[in-house]
Coordinates of all heavy atoms in Angstrom, one line a residue:
G1573 N 98.0 85.4 108.5 CA 96.6 85.2 108.1 C 96.4 83.7 107.7 O 95.3 83.2 107.9
A1574 N 97.4 83.1 107.2 CA 97.2 81.6 106.8 C 96.7 80.8 107.9 O 95.9 79.9 107.8 CB 98.5 81.1 106.2
E1575 N 97.3 81.1 109.1 CA 96.9 80.3 110.3 C 95.4 80.5 110.6 O 94.8 79.5 111.0 CB 97.7 80.6 111.5 CG 99.2 80.1 111.4 CD 100.1 80.8 112.4 OE1 99.6 81.1 113.5 OE2 101.2 81.1 112.0
H1576 N 95.0 81.7 110.6 CA 93.6 82.0 110.9 C 92.7 81.4 109.9 O 91.6 80.9 110.2 CB 93.4 83.5 110.9 CG 94.1 84.3 112.0 ND1 93.7 84.1 113.3 CD2 95.2 85.0 112.0 CE1 94.4 84.8 114.1 NE2 95.4 85.4 113.4
I1577 N 93.1 81.4 108.6 CA 92.2 80.9 107.6 C 92.2 79.4 107.7 O 91.1 78.7 107.5 CB 92.7 81.2 106.2 CG1 92.7 82.8 106.0 CG2 91.9 80.6 105.1 CD1 93.5 83.3 104.9
A1578 N 93.3 78.8 108.1 CA 93.3 77.3 108.3 C 92.3 76.8 109.3 O 91.8 75.7 109.4 CB 94.7 76.8 108.7
A1579 N 91.9 77.8 110.2 CA 91.0 77.5 111.4 C 89.5 77.7 110.9 O 88.5 77.5 111.6 CB 91.3 78.3 112.5
F1580 N 89.3 78.2 109.7 CA 87.9 78.4 109.2 C 87.2 77.0 109.1 O 87.8 76.0 108.7 CB 87.9 78.9 107.7 CG 88.1 80.4 107.5 CD1 88.5 81.2 108.6 CD2 88.0 81.0 106.3 CE1 88.7 82.5 108.5 CE2 88.3 82.3 106.1 CZ 88.6 83.1 107.2
P1581 N 86.0 77.0 109.5 CA 85.2 75.7 109.4 C 85.2 75.2 107.9 O 85.1 76.0 107.0 CB 83.8 76.0 109.8 CG 83.9 77.3 110.5 CD 85.0 78.0 110.0
D1582 N 85.2 73.9 107.7 CA 85.2 73.4 106.3 C 83.9 73.8 105.6 O 83.9 73.9 104.4 CB 85.4 71.9 106.3 CG 86.9 71.4 106.4 OD1 87.7 72.3 106.1 OD2 87.1 70.3 106.7
A1583 N 82.9 74.0 106.4 CA 81.6 74.4 105.8 C 81.7 75.7 105.0 O 81.1 75.9 104.0 CB 80.5 74.5 106.9
I1584 N 82.5 76.6 105.5 CA 82.7 77.8 104.8 C 83.5 77.6 103.5 O 83.2 78.2 102.5 CB 83.5 78.9 105.7 CG1 83.1 79.0 107.1 CG2 83.8 80.2 104.9 CD1 81.6 79.4 107.2
R1585 N 84.5 76.7 103.6 CA 85.2 76.4 102.4 C 84.2 75.8 101.3 O 84.2 76.0 100.0 CB 86.3 75.4 102.7 CG 87.5 76.0 103.1 CD 88.6 74.9 103.5 NE 89.0 75.0 104.9 CZ 89.7 76.0 105.4 NH1 90.3 76.8 104.5 NH2 90.0 76.0 106.6
R1586 N 83.4 74.9 101.8 CA 82.5 74.2 100.8 C 81.5 75.2 100.2 O 81.1 75.2 99.0 CB 81.7 73.1 101.5 CG 82.6 71.9 101.9 CD 81.9 70.7 102.4 NE 82.9 69.7 102.7 CZ 83.1 69.4 104.0 NH1 82.4 70.0 105.0 NH2 84.0 68.4 104.3
A1587 N 81.0 76.2 101.0 CA 80.1 77.2 100.5 C 80.8 78.0 99.4 O 80.3 78.4 98.4 CB 79.6 78.2 101.6
A1588 N 82.1 78.3 99.6 CA 82.9 79.0 98.7 C 83.1 78.2 97.5 O 83.1 78.7 96.3 CB 84.2 79.5 99.3
M1589 N 83.4 76.9 97.6 CA 83.6 76.0 96.5 C 82.3 75.9 95.6 O 82.3 75.7 94.4 CB 83.9 74.5 97.0 CG 85.3 74.5 97.6 SD 85.5 72.8 98.2 CE 85.7 71.8 96.8
S1590 N 81.2 76.0 96.3 CA 79.9 75.8 95.5 C 79.8 76.8 94.3 O 79.3 76.5 93.3 CB 78.6 75.8 96.4 OG 78.4 77.0 96.8
I1591 N 80.1 78.1 94.7 CA 80.1 79.2 93.7 C 80.9 78.8 92.6 O 80.5 79.1 91.4 CB 80.5 80.4 94.4 CG1 80.0 80.7 95.7 CG2 80.4 81.6 93.4 CD1 78.7 81.4 95.8
E1592 N 82.2 78.3 92.8 CA 83.0 78.1 91.8 C 82.5 76.9 90.9 O 82.7 76.8 89.7 CB 84.5 77.7 92.2 CG 85.5 77.5 91.2 CD 86.0 78.8 90.5 OE1 85.4 79.9 90.8 OE2 86.8 78.6 89.6
T1593 N 81.9 75.9 91.6 CA 81.4 74.8 90.9 C 80.3 75.2 90.0 O 80.2 74.7 88.7 CB 80.9 73.7 92.0 OG1 81.9 73.5 92.8 CG2 80.5 72.4 91.3
F1594 N 79.3 76.1 90.3 CA 78.4 76.6 89.5 C 79.0 77.3 88.2 O 78.5 77.2 87.1 CB 77.4 77.5 90.2 CG 76.5 76.9 91.2 CD1 76.4 77.4 92.4 CD2 75.7 75.8 90.8 CE1 75.6 76.7 93.4 CE2 74.8 75.2 91.7 CZ 74.8 75.6 93.0
H1595 N 80.0 78.1 88.6 CA 80.7 78.9 87.5 C 81.2 77.9 86.5 O 81.1 78.1 85.3 CB 81.8 79.7 88.2 CG 82.7 80.3 87.2 ND1 82.2 81.2 86.2 CD2 84.0 80.3 86.9 CE1 83.2 81.7 85.5 NE2 84.3 81.1 85.9
K1596 N 81.9 76.8 87.0 CA 82.5 75.9 86.0 C 81.4 75.2 85.2 O 81.6 74.9 84.0 CB 83.3 74.9 86.8 CG 84.6 75.4 87.4 CD 85.8 75.3 86.4 CE 87.0 76.0 86.9 NZ 88.2 75.1 87.2
A1597 N 80.3 74.9 85.8 CA 79.2 74.3 85.1 C 78.7 75.2 83.9 O 78.5 74.7 82.8 CB 78.0 73.9 86.0
S1598 N 78.7 76.5 84.3 CA 78.2 77.5 83.3 C 79.2 77.6 82.1 O 78.9 77.8 80.9 CB 77.9 78.9 83.9 OG 79.1 79.5 84.2
L1599 N 80.6 77.4 82.5 CA 81.6 77.5 81.4 C 81.4 76.2 80.4 O 81.5 76.5 79.2 CB 83.0 77.4 82.0 CG 83.4 78.6 82.8 CD1 84.8 78.4 83.3 CD2 83.3 79.9 82.1
V1600 N 81.0 75.1 81.0 CA 80.9 73.9 80.1 C 79.8 74.2 79.2 O 79.8 74.0 78.0 CB 80.8 72.7 81.0 CG1 80.4 71.4 80.0 CG2 82.0 72.3 81.8
H1601 N 78.7 74.7 79.8 CA 77.5 74.9 79.0 C 77.6 76.0 77.9 O 77.3 76.0 76.8 CB 76.3 75.1 79.9 CG 75.8 73.9 80.5 ND1 74.9 73.9 81.5 CD2 76.1 72.6 80.3 CE1 74.6 72.6 82.0 NE2 75.4 71.8 81.2
D1602 N 78.3 77.1 78.4 CA 78.6 78.2 77.5 C 79.5 77.8 76.3 O 79.3 78.2 75.2 CB 79.5 79.3 78.2 CG 78.5 80.2 79.1 OD1 77.3 80.0 79.1 OD2 79.1 81.1 79.7
D1603 N 80.5 76.9 76.6 CA 81.3 76.4 75.5 C 80.5 75.7 74.5 O 80.9 75.7 73.3 CB 82.5 75.6 76.1 CG 83.5 76.4 76.8 OD1 83.5 77.6 76.6 OD2 84.3 75.9 77.6

Side-chain angles (χ1 to χ4, degrees):
E1575 290 165 33
H1576 293 287
I1577 298 164
F1580 283 5
D1582 278 343
I1584 310 305
R1585 278 178 238 284
R1586 293 193 183 103
M1589 285 175 76
S1590 77
I1591 313 272
E1592 185 73 0
T1593 307
F1594 290 128
H1595 172 60
K1596 289 274 175 112
S1598 75
L1599 293 182
V1600 173
H1601 287 168
D1602 280 359
D1603 286 342

